Amino acid sequence: MPRLAAASLAGTAIEFYDFFVYGTAAALVLGPLFFPTFSPAAGTLAAFGTFGIGFVARPLGAVVFGHLGDRRGRRPVLVVSLLLTGASTVAVGCVPSYGAIGVAAPVLLLVLRFLQGLGLGGEWGGAVLLTAEHAPAGRRALWSSFPQVGPALGFVLANGIVLALSATLSAAEFARWGWRVPFWAAGALALAGLWLRSSLTESPRFLEIDDHARVPLIELLRHHGRLVLLTAGALAAGYAVFYTVTTWSLAYATERLGVSRTVMLTCVMAAVLVMGALTPLAALLGDRYGRRPMCLTGCAASALWMFPMVALLATGEPLLMFLGILGALLAFITMFAVIAAYLPELYEPRVRCTGAAVGYNLGGVLGGALTPLVATTLAERGGRVPWGVGAYLSGMALLSLACFALLPETRPVPVAVAEPVTKPVTG
């Protein structure tokens, strides 16, 4: 299990690195480079629009790779999805700017971002299922939480490289070529991930299936359509919170508040590091007290914290911004630490890869695709404190709370073993 968990963690870290490095670039430089005819605010909105295309592609990737995972096994999904995401990320770093090739530049950006999302849509389901289906029932949430640490590591790695480049290059050098370096680095990371995954064995649960679903998506929609919609709605708040504090807040703080890029990246990275370190602890609580109670607690905490979070963010003070972001991410991980065990347990093995991946990535569309756009628009129309952003996020948290309330608990119940009765020897 440690070797399997490490390989799954490394793979999700690499693929989410690819996804996050685009979000950071969209917040900092893609607007002026690829949409120079727009105003600064409109350019940021356009860049976040290309960011959202990746989320739209993720459910399609979930369907394609979910079909592969349910028909051919979980292991092939990990290899193909990693190759696709890595290659498209490297290609983003090679796209000329609008000044060089005109409108073809943003078009290429859209296509490559779509391919990124397609690969990531398959990655999560394959990595999580391979880990969850190997894990012992009583510690399934704990072992499955390691792939969930991968996004935190991917975010820190992506932003750490951007931070180092920002600190060593001038603004002109960073805009000219420095922003491309993190995309090029994705190629080496993808090769390392493929090497780590080369020795993984297929899931024992998949090998036990005698009759595989012919078309998993059709069977899923026919028998589990309500479950897919509920899981998507349940996960929407987590995506909305995470991408607000890790993507939109970068643009808001640097453009509206005048906070330096280095300071803001440091605040966000520090909060994400704490979140990643606490993920296994939250998963242990999920093994002890159940998946659903943790998710309900995380949603309630998100709904309550969003207004204090935007107020702390609007101060422009690094320590207060860090505390606001950290509180939001701790609420987020309270629910998402157990999701890697919860979703596979909700779906039967025949359609588990498709069901878990589609539900997870539809939640990304609902909560992640439009959130930077909506938050940017609400912040532009508000005053210094973007209360509209807090209201939007609290509303999303309440929606997810209602969906989680309608889902069943799935934590395996320990089987009680009777203690042997010993009688005293008499006579």
Side-chain angles (χ1 to χ4, degrees), residues 295-313:
C295 294
L296 292 172
T297 301
C299 286
S302 296
L304 293 172
W305 185 249
M306 291 304 102
F307 286 103
M309 188 270 290
V310 296
L312 291 169
L313 189 64

Side-chain angles (χ1 to χ4, degrees), residues 2 19 29 43 68 85 102 111 122 125 168 172 188 198 210-211 228 236 293-294 299 331 377 390 393 401 409:
F19 205 71
V29 297
L68 177 64
T85 309
V111 171
T168 55
S198 62
D210 296 324
D211 183 23
V228 171
M294 295 293 291
C299 286
T377 302
L393 294 175
L401 182 72
E409 178 56 71

Side-chain angles (χ1 to χ4, degrees), residues 75-325:
R75 188 172 175 273
V77 171
L78 302 185
V79 176
V80 181
S81 62
L82 188 58
L83 280 172
L84 177 60
T85 309
S88 57
T89 303
V90 172
V92 169
C94 300
V95 176
S97 66
Y98 185 94
I101 60 173
V103 73
V107 171
L108 284 172
L109 209 59
L110 281 170
V111 171
L112 293 171
R113 179 62 175 171
F114 183 87
L115 293 176
Q116 264 192 333
L118 200 69
L120 191 61
E123 159 66 24
W124 185 87
V128 161
L129 259 66
L130 199 63
T131 307
E133 292 182 339
H134 273 91
R139 285 290 180 263
R140 188 175 295 139
L142 172 63
W143 288 114
S144 301
S145 72
F146 285 93
Q148 293 295 81
V149 178
L153 292 180
F155 179 87
V156 171
L157 183 60
N159 286 277
I161 294 175
V162 172
L163 184 60
L165 290 167
S166 296
T168 55
L169 299 176
S170 67
E173 289 173 327
F174 184 81
R176 189 166 62 250
W177 61 268
W179 69 271
R180 299 180 184 273
V181 174
F183 291 92
W184 295 336
L189 293 173
L191 292 176
L194 289 172
W195 176 77
L196 284 170
R197 291 180 166 184
S198 62
S199 61
L200 296 182
T201 58
E202 186 52 77
S203 158
R205 299 293 178 271
F206 175 79
L207 296 176
E208 291 171 359
I209 301 173
D210 296 324
D211 183 23
H212 296 283
R214 184 179 296 276
V215 185
L217 179 63
I218 293 177
E219 186 169 322
L220 176 73
L221 296 178
R222 183 179 296 160
H223 301 295
H224 307 284
R226 177 177 178 273
L227 180 58
V228 171
L229 293 177
L230 282 177
T231 52
L235 299 179
Y239 276 103
V241 170
F242 187 83
Y243 285 100
T244 294
V245 300
T246 59
T247 299
W248 168 79
S249 68
L250 292 174
Y252 170 75
T254 55
E255 294 175 8
R256 290 286 302 277
L257 304 180
V259 178
S260 78
R261 181 186 302 162
T262 301
V263 168
M264 194 59 200
L265 283 172
T266 302
C267 289
V268 176
M269 285 172 57
V272 171
L273 273 175
V274 176
M275 178 199 75
L278 294 178
T279 299
L281 176 60
L284 272 174
L285 295 175
D287 276 326
R288 182 175 180 85
Y289 298 108
R291 288 60 160 130
R292 188 166 167 268
M294 295 293 291
C295 294
L296 292 172
T297 301
C299 286
S302 296
L304 293 172
W305 185 249
M306 291 304 102
F307 286 103
M309 188 270 290
V310 296
L312 291 169
L313 189 64
T315 65
E317 294 293 329
L319 179 59
L320 295 179
M321 291 192 298
F322 165 75
L323 292 175
I325 292 168

